[in-house]
Amino acid sequence: MMFACGSAANAYSARVNSACERDYYRFCAKYSIGTPELRSCMLASRRALSRRCVDALVAAGEVPKRYLTSVKR
């Protein structure tokens, strides 16, 4: 599952895709993969995303470390 916006070079890693797949289907499945709307939805849902997903996003450099403090433990 790839939900990154932009070119293949900007696509999320396999780790992010795996870690965030459930969050995608839970919060943002109505948005097509690779669209700006999907990225916006994931950002809007950031407080509810799983710790696993946020950890992967931080490790990939997609979101700042401060997102870790706003995620459920």
Side-chain angles (χ1 to χ4, degrees), residues 1-67:
M1 183 235 15
M2 300 285 273
F3 56 83
C5 173
S7 71
N10 294 330
Y12 286 143
S13 68
R15 177 181 175 201
V16 171
N17 290 329
S18 174
C20 297
E21 185 172 17
R22 287 184 183 186
D23 294 297
Y24 165 74
Y25 286 111
R26 183 173 176 202
F27 302 112
C28 302
K30 68 181 179 179
Y31 300 106
S32 297
I33 304 302
T35 63
E37 293 83 9
L38 176 57
R39 183 172 287 273
S40 293
C41 178
M42 293 297 282
L43 289 173
S45 302
R46 70 182 173 268
R47 293 189 196 279
L49 295 177
S50 67
R51 176 65 185 232
R52 181 176 178 230
C53 180
V54 173
D55 283 344
L57 289 167
V58 169
E62 291 292 333
V63 296
K65 283 188 177 186
R66 72 174 182 262
Y67 278 35

